[in-house]
Each structure stands twice: as C-alpha cells, then as structure tokens.
Amino acid sequence: MAELHLIGQIIGGTEFTEKSIFCRWQLSSGNNWRVLEGSTEGQTQLDTPQIGSLTSWNHPLDVHWATRGLQGWPQIHFQIYHLDAYSRTNLIGYASASIPTRPGIHYVDAPAWRPLGTFTEELMRHFIGGGIELTDAERIQNGADRSRLKTEAAGKVHLEIGLIFRDFKKFGIEY
C-alpha cells in the first residue's frame, strides 16, 4: 500500500473578532485510507492575543496513513471557540481545508465561517453569548450542503503542513 505521512502544525488564527479562542480539529479521510499512527483529532490550547494579531496555537500534527487509492483524500476540519468572561465556550466559526496533493512543505489558510441566525438570534448572540451551531458536523465537510446555509466570514486558520509520500508510484498512484 502507498503511504502518506503528514507532519506539521496548526499555526494559529487571524481576523477573528473575539479574544481568548481555541479550536477543535479533526482529520477525515475516505474508506481507502487507514491510519497507521498518530492522532486524527484534538484540541489546541487557548490563546488571548492582542486585537488584530495572530492567535498562536502552534499545535502539532503528525499522522501516518496507508492507502489503496486517491479517493477520499484527507481533509482537516475545525470548530473554533471563544471562552467568554463567564468561562462559557461559544462556537465562533467552522473551517475546513483539503490536505495538499504534492509532497513537500505547504502553507494552507482555511477560511472560517459561521452560520447566521434570525435577527432575534443574532441579537441574543451579541448580548447574551452563544450562537447558532450546526446540528450535523458533516455539513462542515460537505460544500454542497453548506451552500444552502446563510453564513458570514469569521476569520482564518493557518496551517504549516509537511507531506512525505511513499510507494505511490510503485502502486500505480500518480500525483
């Protein structure tokens, strides 16, 4: 089987309006892919940057897959949260990015978005906290379903990804 080794980090986030943010992340892949080593989900630490500066997470990523084909190429998905003054966690955005399909070092920006509620729900979010959350996390991964949602931009998650390919050509998988 061909192998893909991802070594990198979630550098952080920019353009988020809130301070004190962290994210939960998950790597997903199709049925042809099997995780040999590494964690495919996790959570970064909380960071409170100055307004307008980089939220620094520097969270490591290290996953090793084996695959029979390119179908179901890995993707990374994020749920970004804000910790408010009352120690409540409020979802402030979702982001998703495909893992690059070439070996080497890559810098990837995953644009974050959040679902918009009705006028009343947005007013409550502004004054009380909380907000609209997706009931089905699969919508983060499925762009077709997401196109039916009313959303707004929330910021960006920055990644540094190093990829090592092994035996792709040997098994007839060209990249």
Side-chain angles (χ1 to χ4, degrees):
M1 293 177 89
E3 297 177 26
L4 171 65
H5 197 154
L6 179 149
I7 304 167
Q9 67 175 322
I10 303 169
I11 296 170
T14 55
E15 301 176 23
F16 291 101
T17 56
E18 292 83 357
K19 292 170 119 182
S20 300
I21 61 176
F22 66 95
C23 78
R24 294 186 179 128
W25 59 273
Q26 178 184 19
L27 283 159
S28 66
S29 54
N31 294 335
N32 288 336
W33 295 78
R34 183 171 50 98
V35 175
L36 300 175
E37 287 185 71
S39 180
T40 58
E41 60 185 51
Q43 178 176 310
T44 67
Q45 81 276 359
L46 179 80
D47 187 34
T48 307
Q50 300 299 318
I51 295 283
S53 53
L54 174 72
T55 298
S56 184
W57 293 319
N58 300 326
H59 187 81
L61 299 171
D62 189 354
V63 182
H64 188 183
W65 285 278
T67 184
R68 288 188 221 100
L70 296 177
Q71 192 172 23
W73 191 264
Q75 296 181 328
I76 188 164
H77 310 285
F78 301 96
Q79 295 177 341
I80 303 102
Y81 292 88
H82 161 65
L83 184 69
D84 69 12
Y86 302 105
S87 296
R88 297 177 300 187
T89 56
N90 299 312
L91 183 79
I92 60 169
Y94 297 97
S96 185
S98 291
I99 301 302
T101 56
R102 292 252 179 225
I105 304 242
H106 306 273
Y107 293 91
V108 177
D109 291 340
W113 54 273
R114 71 172 191 87
L116 287 173
T118 63
F119 175 76
T120 306
E121 290 168 333
E122 290 299 309
L123 203 58
M124 287 174 56
R125 184 187 75 79
H126 181 74
F127 289 108
I128 299 172
I132 304 298
E133 293 188 29
L134 299 178
T135 55
D136 183 11
E138 292 290 320
R139 286 188 185 233
I140 302 169
Q141 302 170 19
N142 189 344
D145 279 349
R146 204 174 76 211
S147 67
R148 290 186 270 171
L149 295 173
K150 189 174 179 183
T151 64
E152 76 174 358
K156 290 182 185 171
V157 177
H158 306 286
L159 303 160
E160 177 184 19
I161 298 173
L163 298 173
I164 301 169
F165 288 31
R166 180 173 177 217
D167 294 337
F168 271 63
K169 290 186 181 178
K170 179 179 175 183
F171 289 96
I173 303 171
E174 293 191 26
Y175 54 88

